[in-house]
Short mmCIF file of all heavy atoms in Angstrom, two decimals:
data_model
loop_
_atom_site.label_atom_id
_atom_site.label_comp_id
_atom_site.label_asym_id
_atom_site.label_seq_id
_atom_site.Cartn_x
_atom_site.Cartn_y
_atom_site.Cartn_z
N MET A 1 108.51 81.04 107.13
CA MET A 1 107.28 80.32 106.79
C MET A 1 106.35 81.24 106.02
O MET A 1 106.16 82.38 106.41
CB MET A 1 106.62 79.85 108.09
CG MET A 1 105.30 79.17 107.91
SD MET A 1 104.75 78.59 109.52
CE MET A 1 103.08 78.18 109.15
N ASN A 2 105.82 80.70 104.94
CA ASN A 2 104.93 81.50 104.10
C ASN A 2 103.53 80.91 104.09
O ASN A 2 103.35 79.73 104.35
CB ASN A 2 105.43 81.52 102.66
CG ASN A 2 106.69 82.32 102.52
OD1 ASN A 2 107.56 82.27 103.38
ND2 ASN A 2 106.80 83.05 101.45
N VAL A 3 102.58 81.74 103.76
CA VAL A 3 101.23 81.26 103.67
C VAL A 3 100.57 81.86 102.43
O VAL A 3 100.84 83.01 102.07
CB VAL A 3 100.44 81.56 104.97
CG1 VAL A 3 100.23 83.04 105.16
CG2 VAL A 3 99.13 80.83 105.03
N VAL A 4 99.80 81.04 101.77
CA VAL A 4 99.04 81.49 100.61
C VAL A 4 97.59 81.05 100.82
O VAL A 4 97.34 79.92 101.22
CB VAL A 4 99.58 80.85 99.30
CG1 VAL A 4 98.69 81.23 98.12
CG2 VAL A 4 101.00 81.30 99.04
N VAL A 5 96.69 81.95 100.55
CA VAL A 5 95.27 81.58 100.63
C VAL A 5 94.70 81.59 99.23
O VAL A 5 94.84 82.57 98.49
CB VAL A 5 94.48 82.56 101.53
CG1 VAL A 5 93.00 82.17 101.55
CG2 VAL A 5 95.03 82.57 102.94
N ASP A 6 94.10 80.48 98.86
CA ASP A 6 93.39 80.41 97.59
C ASP A 6 92.05 81.14 97.76
O ASP A 6 91.09 80.59 98.30
CB ASP A 6 93.17 78.94 97.22
CG ASP A 6 92.50 78.80 95.86
OD1 ASP A 6 91.95 79.80 95.36
OD2 ASP A 6 92.53 77.69 95.32
N LEU A 7 92.04 82.37 97.31
CA LEU A 7 90.86 83.20 97.56
C LEU A 7 89.66 82.79 96.72
O LEU A 7 88.53 83.20 96.98
CB LEU A 7 91.20 84.68 97.35
CG LEU A 7 92.20 85.24 98.37
CD1 LEU A 7 92.62 86.66 97.99
CD2 LEU A 7 91.66 85.21 99.79
N ASN A 8 89.90 81.98 95.69
CA ASN A 8 88.77 81.44 94.93
C ASN A 8 88.04 80.36 95.73
O ASN A 8 86.86 80.12 95.53
CB ASN A 8 89.26 80.86 93.61
CG ASN A 8 89.76 81.94 92.69
OD1 ASN A 8 89.16 83.01 92.60
ND2 ASN A 8 90.87 81.69 92.03
N ARG A 9 88.81 79.72 96.59
CA ARG A 9 88.24 78.67 97.42
C ARG A 9 87.63 79.23 98.69
O ARG A 9 86.65 78.71 99.22
CB ARG A 9 89.35 77.72 97.83
CG ARG A 9 89.22 76.37 97.26
CD ARG A 9 90.29 75.52 97.87
NE ARG A 9 90.73 74.55 96.92
CZ ARG A 9 91.14 73.32 97.26
NH1 ARG A 9 91.24 73.00 98.52
NH2 ARG A 9 91.49 72.50 96.34
N CYS A 10 88.29 80.24 99.21
CA CYS A 10 87.89 80.82 100.50
C CYS A 10 86.43 81.23 100.47
O CYS A 10 85.98 81.91 99.55
CB CYS A 10 88.77 82.02 100.79
SG CYS A 10 88.22 82.98 102.21
N GLN A 11 85.70 80.79 101.47
CA GLN A 11 84.28 81.12 101.55
C GLN A 11 84.00 82.14 102.65
O GLN A 11 82.85 82.36 103.02
CB GLN A 11 83.46 79.85 101.83
CG GLN A 11 83.60 78.80 100.75
CD GLN A 11 82.99 79.25 99.44
OE1 GLN A 11 81.91 79.82 99.41
NE2 GLN A 11 83.69 79.03 98.34
N GLY A 12 85.06 82.70 103.20
CA GLY A 12 84.87 83.73 104.22
C GLY A 12 84.32 83.21 105.53
O GLY A 12 83.60 83.92 106.23
N TYR A 13 84.70 81.99 105.89
CA TYR A 13 84.21 81.44 107.15
C TYR A 13 84.88 82.07 108.36
O TYR A 13 84.41 81.91 109.48
CB TYR A 13 84.41 79.92 107.20
CG TYR A 13 83.55 79.16 106.23
CD1 TYR A 13 84.12 78.37 105.25
CD2 TYR A 13 82.17 79.25 106.32
CE1 TYR A 13 83.33 77.68 104.35
CE2 TYR A 13 81.37 78.55 105.43
CZ TYR A 13 81.96 77.77 104.45
OH TYR A 13 81.18 77.08 103.56
N ALA A 14 86.02 82.69 108.12
CA ALA A 14 86.73 83.44 109.17
C ALA A 14 87.28 82.58 110.29
O ALA A 14 87.64 83.09 111.34
CB ALA A 14 85.84 84.54 109.75
N GLN A 15 87.36 81.27 110.07
CA GLN A 15 88.02 80.42 111.07
C GLN A 15 89.46 80.85 111.26
O GLN A 15 89.98 80.89 112.37
CB GLN A 15 88.00 78.96 110.63
CG GLN A 15 86.64 78.34 110.57
CD GLN A 15 85.99 78.27 111.94
OE1 GLN A 15 86.66 78.10 112.93
NE2 GLN A 15 84.69 78.42 111.97
N CYS A 16 90.10 81.15 110.15
CA CYS A 16 91.52 81.52 110.21
C CYS A 16 91.70 82.84 110.95
O CYS A 16 92.61 82.99 111.76
CB CYS A 16 92.09 81.62 108.80
SG CYS A 16 91.16 82.72 107.73
N ALA A 17 90.81 83.80 110.69
CA ALA A 17 90.90 85.10 111.35
C ALA A 17 90.68 84.97 112.85
O ALA A 17 91.22 85.73 113.65
CB ALA A 17 89.89 86.07 110.75
N PHE A 18 89.89 83.97 113.21
CA PHE A 18 89.63 83.72 114.62
C PHE A 18 90.85 83.09 115.29
O PHE A 18 91.22 83.45 116.40
CB PHE A 18 88.40 82.80 114.74
CG PHE A 18 88.07 82.42 116.15
CD1 PHE A 18 87.55 83.36 117.03
CD2 PHE A 18 88.27 81.12 116.59
CE1 PHE A 18 87.24 83.00 118.33
CE2 PHE A 18 87.97 80.76 117.89
CZ PHE A 18 87.46 81.70 118.76
N LEU A 19 91.49 82.17 114.57
CA LEU A 19 92.60 81.42 115.17
C LEU A 19 93.94 82.16 115.08
O LEU A 19 94.80 81.97 115.93
CB LEU A 19 92.72 80.05 114.50
CG LEU A 19 91.60 79.08 114.86
CD1 LEU A 19 91.57 77.90 113.91
CD2 LEU A 19 91.77 78.59 116.29
N ALA A 20 94.13 82.95 114.04
CA ALA A 20 95.40 83.67 113.88
C ALA A 20 95.13 85.10 113.42
O ALA A 20 95.43 85.48 112.30
CB ALA A 20 96.30 82.94 112.89
N PRO A 21 94.57 85.90 114.32
CA PRO A 21 94.13 87.25 113.93
C PRO A 21 95.25 88.19 113.50
O PRO A 21 95.00 89.19 112.84
CB PRO A 21 93.42 87.78 115.18
CG PRO A 21 93.82 86.89 116.30
CD PRO A 21 94.24 85.58 115.71
N GLN A 22 96.49 87.85 113.86
CA GLN A 22 97.59 88.72 113.44
C GLN A 22 97.99 88.47 112.00
O GLN A 22 98.69 89.27 111.39
CB GLN A 22 98.80 88.53 114.34
CG GLN A 22 98.56 89.09 115.73
CD GLN A 22 99.80 89.00 116.59
OE1 GLN A 22 100.91 89.11 116.10
NE2 GLN A 22 99.60 88.78 117.87
N VAL A 23 97.55 87.34 111.46
CA VAL A 23 97.94 86.99 110.10
C VAL A 23 96.75 87.11 109.14
O VAL A 23 96.89 87.58 108.02
CB VAL A 23 98.53 85.56 110.05
CG1 VAL A 23 98.82 85.13 108.62
CG2 VAL A 23 99.81 85.51 110.89
N PHE A 24 95.58 86.71 109.61
CA PHE A 24 94.38 86.75 108.76
C PHE A 24 93.36 87.74 109.35
O PHE A 24 93.06 87.66 110.54
CB PHE A 24 93.71 85.38 108.70
CG PHE A 24 94.63 84.27 108.27
CD1 PHE A 24 95.18 83.42 109.21
CD2 PHE A 24 94.93 84.07 106.94
CE1 PHE A 24 96.03 82.38 108.82
CE2 PHE A 24 95.77 83.04 106.55
CZ PHE A 24 96.32 82.20 107.49
N THR A 25 92.88 88.61 108.51
CA THR A 25 91.82 89.52 108.97
C THR A 25 90.73 89.60 107.92
O THR A 25 91.00 89.55 106.72
CB THR A 25 92.35 90.95 109.23
OG1 THR A 25 93.18 91.33 108.15
CG2 THR A 25 93.13 91.02 110.52
N MET A 26 89.53 89.71 108.38
CA MET A 26 88.40 89.83 107.48
C MET A 26 88.11 91.31 107.25
O MET A 26 88.10 92.10 108.19
CB MET A 26 87.15 89.19 108.09
CG MET A 26 87.24 87.70 108.35
SD MET A 26 87.60 86.74 106.87
CE MET A 26 86.13 87.04 105.88
N HIS A 27 87.86 91.65 106.01
CA HIS A 27 87.43 93.01 105.67
C HIS A 27 86.06 92.90 105.04
O HIS A 27 85.93 92.44 103.92
CB HIS A 27 88.43 93.68 104.73
CG HIS A 27 89.68 94.06 105.45
ND1 HIS A 27 90.01 95.36 105.71
CD2 HIS A 27 90.64 93.30 106.00
CE1 HIS A 27 91.14 95.38 106.39
NE2 HIS A 27 91.56 94.15 106.56
N GLY A 28 85.08 93.25 105.82
CA GLY A 28 83.72 93.09 105.33
C GLY A 28 83.29 91.63 105.46
O GLY A 28 83.88 90.87 106.22
N GLU A 29 82.29 91.26 104.71
CA GLU A 29 81.68 89.94 104.84
C GLU A 29 82.58 88.81 104.38
O GLU A 29 82.72 87.81 105.05
CB GLU A 29 80.38 89.90 104.03
CG GLU A 29 79.28 90.75 104.61
CD GLU A 29 78.61 90.07 105.80
OE1 GLU A 29 77.95 89.04 105.57
OE2 GLU A 29 78.76 90.55 106.93
N GLU A 30 83.20 88.94 103.21
CA GLU A 30 83.96 87.82 102.70
C GLU A 30 85.36 88.15 102.23
O GLU A 30 86.06 87.26 101.77
CB GLU A 30 83.27 87.14 101.52
CG GLU A 30 81.91 87.60 101.15
CD GLU A 30 81.28 86.62 100.19
OE1 GLU A 30 81.65 86.68 99.01
OE2 GLU A 30 80.44 85.80 100.63
N ALA A 31 85.78 89.40 102.33
CA ALA A 31 87.11 89.73 101.84
C ALA A 31 88.16 89.42 102.90
O ALA A 31 88.18 90.03 103.96
CB ALA A 31 87.18 91.20 101.45
N LEU A 32 89.00 88.47 102.59
CA LEU A 32 90.05 88.09 103.52
C LEU A 32 91.36 88.76 103.13
O LEU A 32 91.76 88.73 101.98
CB LEU A 32 90.22 86.56 103.51
CG LEU A 32 91.34 86.03 104.39
CD1 LEU A 32 90.98 86.15 105.85
CD2 LEU A 32 91.67 84.61 104.02
N MET A 33 92.02 89.35 104.11
CA MET A 33 93.36 89.88 103.89
C MET A 33 94.30 89.07 104.77
O MET A 33 93.91 88.65 105.85
CB MET A 33 93.46 91.35 104.31
CG MET A 33 92.33 92.20 103.77
SD MET A 33 92.75 93.39 102.52
CE MET A 33 94.36 93.96 102.91
N TYR A 34 95.54 88.87 104.30
CA TYR A 34 96.47 88.10 105.12
C TYR A 34 97.90 88.53 104.88
O TYR A 34 98.20 89.21 103.89
CB TYR A 34 96.30 86.60 104.86
CG TYR A 34 96.65 86.17 103.45
CD1 TYR A 34 97.88 85.62 103.16
CD2 TYR A 34 95.73 86.33 102.42
CE1 TYR A 34 98.20 85.23 101.87
CE2 TYR A 34 96.05 85.96 101.13
CZ TYR A 34 97.28 85.40 100.86
OH TYR A 34 97.60 85.03 99.58
N THR A 35 98.75 88.15 105.79
CA THR A 35 100.17 88.46 105.72
C THR A 35 100.89 87.24 105.18
O THR A 35 100.95 86.21 105.84
CB THR A 35 100.70 88.78 107.14
OG1 THR A 35 99.84 89.76 107.71
CG2 THR A 35 102.12 89.28 107.11
N PRO A 36 101.43 87.33 103.94
CA PRO A 36 102.01 86.14 103.31
C PRO A 36 103.25 85.60 104.02
O PRO A 36 103.53 84.41 103.96
CB PRO A 36 102.35 86.59 101.89
CG PRO A 36 102.05 88.03 101.80
CD PRO A 36 101.42 88.51 103.06
N VAL A 37 104.03 86.48 104.65
CA VAL A 37 105.19 86.01 105.40
C VAL A 37 104.81 85.99 106.88
O VAL A 37 104.60 87.03 107.49
CB VAL A 37 106.43 86.90 105.16
CG1 VAL A 37 107.61 86.38 105.96
CG2 VAL A 37 106.76 86.95 103.68
N VAL A 38 104.71 84.79 107.39
CA VAL A 38 104.21 84.63 108.76
C VAL A 38 105.29 85.00 109.77
O VAL A 38 106.39 84.46 109.72
CB VAL A 38 103.77 83.17 108.99
CG1 VAL A 38 103.25 82.97 110.41
CG2 VAL A 38 102.70 82.78 107.97
N PRO A 39 104.98 85.92 110.68
CA PRO A 39 105.97 86.30 111.69
C PRO A 39 106.28 85.14 112.62
O PRO A 39 105.41 84.30 112.87
CB PRO A 39 105.28 87.43 112.46
CG PRO A 39 104.06 87.80 111.70
CD PRO A 39 103.71 86.63 110.84
N LYS A 40 107.51 85.11 113.10
CA LYS A 40 107.87 84.11 114.10
C LYS A 40 106.93 84.23 115.29
O LYS A 40 106.54 85.32 115.66
CB LYS A 40 109.30 84.36 114.58
CG LYS A 40 110.33 83.55 113.86
CD LYS A 40 111.60 83.49 114.71
CE LYS A 40 112.80 82.92 114.01
NZ LYS A 40 112.71 81.92 113.03
N GLY A 41 106.58 83.10 115.85
CA GLY A 41 105.65 83.14 116.97
C GLY A 41 104.22 82.94 116.53
O GLY A 41 103.35 82.68 117.35
N GLN A 42 103.98 83.05 115.22
CA GLN A 42 102.63 82.85 114.70
C GLN A 42 102.49 81.54 113.94
O GLN A 42 101.41 81.22 113.46
CB GLN A 42 102.26 84.02 113.77
CG GLN A 42 102.12 85.35 114.48
CD GLN A 42 100.90 85.38 115.37
OE1 GLN A 42 99.80 85.03 114.96
NE2 GLN A 42 101.08 85.78 116.62
N HIS A 43 103.60 80.82 113.85
CA HIS A 43 103.59 79.62 113.01
C HIS A 43 102.56 78.59 113.45
O HIS A 43 101.82 78.06 112.64
CB HIS A 43 104.99 78.98 112.98
CG HIS A 43 105.99 79.84 112.27
ND1 HIS A 43 107.24 79.41 111.95
CD2 HIS A 43 105.90 81.11 111.83
CE1 HIS A 43 107.90 80.38 111.32
NE2 HIS A 43 107.12 81.43 111.24
N GLU A 44 102.54 78.33 114.76
CA GLU A 44 101.63 77.32 115.27
C GLU A 44 100.18 77.74 115.04
O GLU A 44 99.33 76.94 114.65
CB GLU A 44 101.90 77.10 116.76
CG GLU A 44 101.23 75.87 117.34
CD GLU A 44 101.53 74.61 116.54
OE1 GLU A 44 102.69 74.42 116.14
OE2 GLU A 44 100.59 73.82 116.30
N ARG A 45 99.91 79.00 115.27
CA ARG A 45 98.55 79.51 115.05
C ARG A 45 98.14 79.37 113.59
O ARG A 45 97.00 79.01 113.29
CB ARG A 45 98.49 80.99 115.43
CG ARG A 45 98.38 81.21 116.92
CD ARG A 45 98.46 82.70 117.25
NE ARG A 45 98.19 82.92 118.65
CZ ARG A 45 96.95 83.08 119.13
NH1 ARG A 45 95.94 83.11 118.32
NH2 ARG A 45 96.77 83.25 120.42
N VAL A 46 99.07 79.67 112.70
CA VAL A 46 98.75 79.58 111.27
C VAL A 46 98.52 78.13 110.86
O VAL A 46 97.62 77.83 110.09
CB VAL A 46 99.86 80.24 110.43
CG1 VAL A 46 99.72 79.90 108.95
CG2 VAL A 46 99.81 81.75 110.61
N ARG A 47 99.30 77.21 111.43
CA ARG A 47 99.08 75.79 111.14
C ARG A 47 97.69 75.36 111.60
O ARG A 47 97.00 74.62 110.94
CB ARG A 47 100.13 74.93 111.83
CG ARG A 47 101.41 74.88 111.03
CD ARG A 47 102.31 73.77 111.43
NE ARG A 47 103.65 74.08 110.94
CZ ARG A 47 104.56 74.68 111.68
NH1 ARG A 47 104.33 74.98 112.93
NH2 ARG A 47 105.73 74.98 111.16
N ARG A 48 97.34 75.84 112.77
CA ARG A 48 96.01 75.50 113.30
C ARG A 48 94.91 76.09 112.41
O ARG A 48 93.90 75.46 112.15
CB ARG A 48 95.85 76.05 114.71
CG ARG A 48 95.95 74.94 115.74
CD ARG A 48 95.76 75.49 117.12
NE ARG A 48 96.98 75.33 117.88
CZ ARG A 48 97.37 76.13 118.85
NH1 ARG A 48 96.66 77.17 119.19
NH2 ARG A 48 98.50 75.90 119.47
N ALA A 49 95.14 77.33 111.95
CA ALA A 49 94.16 77.98 111.09
C ALA A 49 94.01 77.20 109.78
O ALA A 49 92.89 76.99 109.30
CB ALA A 49 94.58 79.42 110.81
N ALA A 50 95.15 76.77 109.22
CA ALA A 50 95.11 76.01 107.98
C ALA A 50 94.34 74.72 108.16
O ALA A 50 93.54 74.31 107.31
CB ALA A 50 96.53 75.73 107.49
N ALA A 51 94.55 74.06 109.30
CA ALA A 51 93.86 72.80 109.57
C ALA A 51 92.37 73.04 109.80
O ALA A 51 91.55 72.17 109.51
CB ALA A 51 94.48 72.12 110.79
N ALA A 52 92.03 74.20 110.30
CA ALA A 52 90.63 74.48 110.65
C ALA A 52 89.81 74.99 109.47
O ALA A 52 88.59 74.97 109.52
CB ALA A 52 90.58 75.50 111.78
N CYS A 53 90.48 75.46 108.43
CA CYS A 53 89.74 76.02 107.30
C CYS A 53 88.83 74.95 106.69
O CYS A 53 89.31 73.90 106.28
CB CYS A 53 90.71 76.54 106.25
SG CYS A 53 89.85 77.16 104.78
N PRO A 54 87.54 75.20 106.64
CA PRO A 54 86.60 74.18 106.17
C PRO A 54 86.78 73.82 104.70
O PRO A 54 86.35 72.74 104.28
CB PRO A 54 85.22 74.83 106.38
CG PRO A 54 85.45 76.08 107.15
CD PRO A 54 86.88 76.45 107.03
N VAL A 55 87.41 74.69 103.92
CA VAL A 55 87.57 74.39 102.49
C VAL A 55 89.04 74.21 102.10
O VAL A 55 89.38 74.20 100.93
CB VAL A 55 86.91 75.49 101.62
CG1 VAL A 55 85.39 75.45 101.79
CG2 VAL A 55 87.44 76.87 101.95
N GLN A 56 89.90 74.06 103.08
CA GLN A 56 91.35 73.88 102.84
C GLN A 56 91.92 74.91 101.87
O GLN A 56 92.65 74.57 100.95
CB GLN A 56 91.65 72.46 102.30
CG GLN A 56 91.63 71.40 103.35
CD GLN A 56 90.25 70.81 103.52
OE1 GLN A 56 89.60 70.47 102.54
NE2 GLN A 56 89.76 70.72 104.75
N ALA A 57 91.57 76.16 102.10
CA ALA A 57 92.04 77.21 101.20
C ALA A 57 93.41 77.74 101.61
O ALA A 57 94.03 78.48 100.85
CB ALA A 57 91.02 78.36 101.18
N ILE A 58 93.88 77.36 102.78
CA ILE A 58 95.14 77.90 103.29
C ILE A 58 96.28 76.93 103.02
O ILE A 58 96.24 75.79 103.46
CB ILE A 58 95.04 78.20 104.80
CG1 ILE A 58 93.89 79.16 105.07
CG2 ILE A 58 96.37 78.76 105.32
CD1 ILE A 58 93.59 79.37 106.54
N LEU A 59 97.26 77.38 102.27
CA LEU A 59 98.43 76.57 101.98
C LEU A 59 99.60 77.12 102.76
O LEU A 59 99.93 78.31 102.66
CB LEU A 59 98.74 76.60 100.48
CG LEU A 59 97.60 76.18 99.56
CD1 LEU A 59 97.99 76.39 98.11
CD2 LEU A 59 97.20 74.74 99.81
N VAL A 60 100.24 76.25 103.51
CA VAL A 60 101.37 76.66 104.32
C VAL A 60 102.64 76.11 103.70
O VAL A 60 102.71 74.94 103.39
CB VAL A 60 101.22 76.13 105.77
CG1 VAL A 60 102.47 76.41 106.58
CG2 VAL A 60 100.01 76.74 106.43
N GLY A 61 103.62 76.99 103.48
CA GLY A 61 104.89 76.55 102.91
C GLY A 61 106.01 76.81 103.90
O GLY A 61 106.20 77.93 104.33
N GLU A 62 106.73 75.76 104.23
CA GLU A 62 107.83 75.91 105.19
C GLU A 62 109.01 76.62 104.55
O GLU A 62 109.63 77.49 105.16
CB GLU A 62 108.29 74.55 105.71
CG GLU A 62 107.22 73.79 106.48
CD GLU A 62 106.82 74.47 107.78
OE1 GLU A 62 107.62 75.27 108.30
OE2 GLU A 62 105.72 74.22 108.26
N GLU A 63 109.35 76.23 103.32
CA GLU A 63 110.55 76.77 102.70
C GLU A 63 110.25 77.82 101.65
O GLU A 63 111.13 78.58 101.26
CB GLU A 63 111.39 75.68 102.03
CG GLU A 63 111.69 74.50 102.89
CD GLU A 63 110.62 73.42 102.78
OE1 GLU A 63 109.83 73.48 101.82
OE2 GLU A 63 110.55 72.55 103.65
N ALA A 64 109.02 77.83 101.15
CA ALA A 64 108.69 78.71 100.03
C ALA A 64 109.17 80.14 100.26
O ALA A 64 108.86 80.73 101.28
CB ALA A 64 107.19 78.70 99.79
N GLY A 65 109.94 80.65 99.36
CA GLY A 65 110.37 82.03 99.46
C GLY A 65 111.60 82.21 100.34
O GLY A 65 112.72 82.09 99.88
N VAL A 66 111.38 82.47 101.61
CA VAL A 66 112.50 82.81 102.49
C VAL A 66 113.21 81.56 103.01
O VAL A 66 112.71 80.87 103.87
CB VAL A 66 112.02 83.66 103.69
CG1 VAL A 66 111.93 85.11 103.27
CG2 VAL A 66 110.66 83.19 104.20
N GLY A 67 114.38 81.29 102.47
CA GLY A 67 115.11 80.08 102.84
C GLY A 67 115.68 80.14 104.25
O GLY A 67 116.49 80.97 104.58
N GLY A 68 115.23 79.22 105.06
CA GLY A 68 115.80 79.02 106.38
C GLY A 68 115.42 80.02 107.45
O GLY A 68 115.73 79.82 108.61
N ARG A 69 114.77 81.08 107.09
CA ARG A 69 114.48 82.07 108.12
C ARG A 69 113.12 81.89 108.74
O ARG A 69 112.20 81.43 108.11
CB ARG A 69 114.58 83.47 107.53
CG ARG A 69 116.01 83.99 107.65
CD ARG A 69 116.10 85.41 107.14
NE ARG A 69 115.96 85.44 105.67
CZ ARG A 69 115.62 86.55 104.98
NH1 ARG A 69 115.35 87.65 105.59
NH2 ARG A 69 115.54 86.51 103.67
S1 SF4 B 1 89.07 79.74 107.26
FE1 SF4 B 1 89.34 79.32 105.08
S2 SF4 B 1 87.38 79.82 104.15
FE2 SF4 B 1 87.44 80.78 106.16
S3 SF4 B 1 88.18 82.85 105.80
FE3 SF4 B 1 89.95 81.57 106.31
S4 SF4 B 1 90.73 80.88 104.34
FE4 SF4 B 1 88.67 81.63 104.00
#
C-alpha cells in the first residue's frame, strides 16, 4: 500500500500525524514528512488519516507501485 500527500493542498493540520504517527510526521509548523510505502500494520491507521484530512490531501493507493505486497 502506498500513500501520496499533495503537499500543495496540505495545510499542516496534523490530523494525519496524530492518527498515524509512524507514517506522517510534522517538522515545524507546516512541513509534513511521510513514508510513501506504508508498513504492514499501518494500513488501517493511514486510511483513517486519509479520511480525517480536512483538505483531502492524502491519496491512498492499494496497488500503486508494489504489486500485491
Ligand atoms: S491531515 Fe491533511 S492537511 Fe493535515 S497535515 Fe495531514 S495531509 Fe496535511
